[in-house]
Amino acid sequence: MHKHKVQIAASILSADFGELNKDIKSVEDKVDLLHVDVMDGHFVPNLTFGAPVVKCIKTKLPMICHLMVENPEDLIDDFAAAGAGGISFHQEVAPHMNRLVERIKSLRMKAGVAINPATPVWTLEDIVDELDFVLVMSVNPGFGGQEFIPEALEKVALLREMSPDLSIEVDGGVNEKTAAKIIEAGANILVSGSYIFSSKNRADAIKNLRG
Ligand code: DX5
Ligand code: ZN
C-alpha cells in the first residue's frame, strides 16, 4: 500500500458558475483540493473559463488547474499569476513535457501530467520521477457527468507499480460506486464534480468518496 492518504478534489465544472464562490464555500471545509477544469474548445469540444475567472475565486483550498487545452505553454504564467497552486497539462499535446514541468515548478506550483483514456501509462515512464502527480482520465475529457471507464483501474495499478510514491489522481465518473475500486487500485486523489455538486447533502457525498 502506498503512503499517501486519500484526498478529495471538488471539480467546480459542476458548480453553478453564477454562484461560484458560494458553491465553493459549501465544500470548502470538507474537501482537500479544488479541481479547476480549463477547456479551450479545441483539445476538447467545450469551453469553460480562463485565468481571469480563477483570479476571482475566493478560497483557502489549493486550486489545481486541469488544462484541457492545445497550447498549455501559453497559459502557465497566467494561471500562476491568478493564484493556481498546481497545473496539469495533457501528454497528448506536449512534445516537450519536461520543459513544461520545469516551468510550472519554477513558478512554485505542483506539476502534473494528465492522460486520456486511450493514452498508455508507459508514455510517462521517463518523466514520472519529475512529477508531483499524474492525472488518469477515467472519461474522455470535455464534460462532467459521464460514466466511469473501468479500464482506468488497470492504468492506475500500472502507474502505482511504476512509481510507489507518486500522487495518482483519477478524474471522471467518480462517485460512491466507483471510489472504493479506484482507491484499491492505488490512486490517492479522487476528483469529483457532478456527484458532489448534485448531491442534496454534499458533506455526506464527500464522506462516501473517502470510503
Ligand atoms: C472532465 C473533467 C472532469 C469533470 C469530472 O473533462 O476533467 O474534471 O469535472 O466530472 P464528473 O465528476 O461529473 O465525472
Ligand atoms: Zn478535470
Side-chain angles (χ1 to χ4, degrees):
M1 197 55 187
H2 55 100
K3 63 176 186 190
H4 296 287
K5 98 177 218 309
V6 172
Q7 293 192 310
I8 306 297
S11 173
I12 60 169
L13 181 63
S14 291
D16 179 345
F17 289 178
E19 301 277 4
L20 204 45
N21 281 315
K22 196 177 143 208
D23 260 359
I24 289 168
K25 260 256 122 29
S26 77
V27 297
E28 186 154 51
D29 57 349
K30 301 169 188 76
V31 298
D32 306 284
L33 304 161
L34 272 193
H35 182 88
V36 180
D37 283 316
V38 178
M39 304 185 187
D40 66 351
H42 294 275
F43 179 67
V44 289
N46 199 4
L47 262 177
T48 53
F49 38 69
V53 172
V54 170
K55 203 172 174 188
C56 295
I57 296 176
K58 295 188 186 73
T59 184
K60 289 171 284 187
L61 293 168
M63 294 186 282
I64 312 298
C65 298
H66 174 197
L67 302 188
M68 285 159 278
V69 305
E70 266 179 9
N71 298 304
E73 61 276 13
D74 296 343
L75 298 177
I76 290 169
D77 290 45
D78 289 350
F79 280 97
I87 286 186
S88 66
F89 59 85
H90 270 262
Q91 184 276 345
E92 298 82 7
V93 295
H96 307 292
M97 289 195 276
N98 183 267
R99 193 182 296 161
L100 295 183
V101 168
E102 291 302 317
R103 182 76 198 146
I104 294 168
K105 286 183 170 178
S106 75
L107 293 164
R108 296 173 195 284
M109 298 182 288
K110 302 268 188 218
V113 175
I115 51 172
N116 278 339
T119 302
V121 157
W122 59 256
T123 56
L124 303 179
E125 224 162 61
D126 295 335
I127 190 113
V128 84
D129 290 343
E130 291 163 54
L131 301 178
D132 294 306
F133 65 100
V134 166
L135 190 163
V136 176
M137 287 303 306
S138 41
V139 298
N140 283 299
F143 305 92
Q146 303 182 80
E147 202 173 322
F148 184 78
I149 298 173
E151 283 75 12
L153 295 173
E154 202 179 307
K155 290 167 76 174
V156 169
L158 278 170
L159 259 175
R160 179 54 69 215
E161 221 173 276
M162 190 190 283
S163 183
D165 292 335
L166 178 71
S167 242
I168 303 176
E169 180 169 26
V170 171
D171 184 11
V174 177
N175 56 38
E176 89 281 14
K177 291 192 192 82
T178 53
K181 283 182 267 186
I182 297 166
I183 296 167
E184 168 91 29
N188 59 295
I189 305 175
L190 305 191
V191 177
S192 184
S194 56
Y195 175 65
I196 292 177
F197 286 103
S198 69
S199 291
K200 282 211 185 77
N201 188 327
R202 291 176 182 171
D204 281 352
I206 293 160
K207 253 187 241 150
N208 293 342
L209 294 176
R210 289 188 199 276

